[in-house]
Amino acid sequence: MREVKWVIFDEVHYMRDKERGVVWEEVMILLPHSVRYVFLSATIPNALQFAEWIAHLHSQPCHVVYTDYRPTPLHHYMFGAGSTGFHLVVDENGQFKPSGFERATASTAKAAAARSARGGGGGRGGGGRGGRGGRGGGNRGPSDCFKLVRTVVSMGMEPLIVFAFGKKMVEDLAEEMASLDLTSEAERQSIIAIYENAVHTLSEDDQKLPQVERMLPLLQRGIAVHHSGLLPLLKELVEILFQVRKRTRVPSCGAARTQPTGHIFHSCCLLSSQPHPAISHPSTVHHRRTL
């Protein structure tokens, strides 16, 4: 601890969480007075009161830097299950868009009617099982999540992050997305070099693990998997590739809790780092732009 100069608390409003909040509070109280802090939050309601507590606790000033507007515009879109497009229903000013809602519900009804006409067939609701484009599901087509990703990619809104609530679903979605090819030849060669340099540091036994061997084919197509079951080196590799001009265009991430966007959907939630709305799924969709 003598070498620690700064501690950064992201999403510090989790102090209000009844299970984890006490841990955050104990860390803040027990850290030495010589440590400096950065607290980040977009939703803390009593920032001034919190800053006063920190200043009193460690006898050092705590400055509050805030905005009275949302720096990252939040848009709400709807993607109807079985449809092929999404529609703006709430804009960045919080104004509801009836026309967008009506178009979204109409597309959902149209897709449902088409499924009924086919005898209940059609794509899956977004679970991702069944492999590429819904393979393994008989005559079932691609999942809604796959169609949503494909639509977003066709609009040039990648890179994306797909949140799925379970490791198996994460891996199934990544396998399905692998039918997309999102990288150039130069990017593929760069990915191979970065991957081989990273994996070379593993033991021979670890290099033969299925998760290690399965990662490269996905990475070469611009797809990646990121969840708690991966080796730390693989998770770091995915993070590096995503940051270095987004060489992994559609990482699929496991989520152990509700994401900040507030969706609890069984399929996927997408975040785009381009200046376009990000999308979640299936029926009601929250989109946000990231800086």
Side-chain angles (χ1 to χ4, degrees):
M1 289 302 298
R2 289 193 298 269
E3 298 179 359
V4 176
K5 298 299 182 184
W6 289 86
V7 176
I8 300 174
F9 294 84
D10 193 14
E11 309 290 357
V12 73
H13 51 266
Y14 279 114
M15 273 192 66
R16 293 178 294 176
D17 186 275
K18 65 179 182 180
E19 295 180 355
R20 292 178 292 177
V22 64
V23 178
W24 288 58
E25 186 175 358
E26 288 177 352
V27 171
M28 294 174 193
I29 292 172
L30 297 176
L31 280 171
H33 294 327
S34 59
V35 174
R36 296 295 181 262
Y37 313 90
V38 176
F39 304 101
L40 306 175
S41 173
T43 59
I44 189 168
N46 55 336
L48 290 175
Q49 182 184 7
F50 177 77
E52 290 173 355
W53 177 67
I54 291 294
H56 173 75
L57 194 63
H58 291 289
S59 301
Q60 57 178 274
C62 183
H63 304 282
V64 177
V65 180
Y66 67 93
T67 62
D68 55 2
Y69 66 95
R70 185 181 181 92
T72 304
L74 182 65
H75 301 76
H76 298 256
Y77 282 71
M78 282 187 64
F79 179 88
S83 64
T84 56
F86 46 89
H87 307 274
L88 179 68
V89 293
V90 180
D91 64 17
E92 65 273 17
N93 298 316
Q95 297 297 314
F96 178 68
K97 301 293 185 181
S99 59
F101 181 79
E102 291 170 2
R103 288 194 299 270
T105 53
S107 66
T108 303
K110 183 178 179 181
R115 285 196 301 270
S116 298
R118 293 194 300 267
R124 300 185 59 136
R129 298 187 66 180
R132 298 186 182 183
R135 107 185 140 179
N139 59 356
R140 289 173 175 170
S143 70
D144 285 338
C145 192
F146 177 84
K147 290 190 289 185
L148 181 54
V149 170
R150 184 176 58 192
T151 300
V152 172
V153 168
S154 70
M155 297 174 66
M157 293 166 61
E158 78 272 24
L160 306 171
I161 300 177
V162 180
F163 290 101
F165 304 97
K167 298 174 188 175
K168 183 66 167 62
M169 186 178 293
V170 166
E171 293 174 355
D172 288 341
L173 283 171
E175 182 182 356
E176 184 178 14
M177 302 304 162
S179 60
L180 302 171
D181 193 355
L182 308 173
T183 55
S184 65
E185 180 60 30
E187 287 176 324
R188 282 192 287 271
Q189 294 304 317
S190 177
I191 289 169
I192 292 172
I194 295 173
Y195 171 87
E196 290 179 346
N197 287 335
V199 171
H200 183 71
T201 64
L202 296 173
S203 67
E204 292 186 5
D205 289 339
D206 285 346
Q207 291 181 29
K208 297 176 183 177
L209 290 173
Q211 63 177 249
V212 176
E213 294 179 341
R214 287 197 298 260
M215 184 67 78
L216 182 57
L218 290 172
L219 292 177
Q220 287 180 277
R221 304 184 75 87
I223 314 294
V225 172
H226 189 290
H227 58 66
S228 61
L230 293 179
L231 293 174
L233 181 123
L234 291 183
K235 289 191 285 188
E236 185 177 3
L237 173 63
V238 171
E239 293 162 6
I240 290 172
L241 288 173
F242 190 66
Q243 293 171 14
V244 181
R245 193 45 212 116
K246 319 305 187 203
R247 286 195 170 84
T248 50
R249 304 299 176 86
V250 187
S252 187
C253 303
R257 60 175 177 79
T258 303
Q259 296 302 317
T261 44
H263 331 103
I264 314 178
F265 294 118
H266 68 276
S267 49
C268 66
C269 155
L270 311 181
L271 298 182
S272 169
S273 63
Q274 292 286 44
H276 293 277
I279 304 124
S280 76
H281 172 273
S283 295
T284 355
V285 198
H286 297 256
H287 303 234
R288 68 178 183 183
R289 294 178 181 173
T290 58
L291 297 177

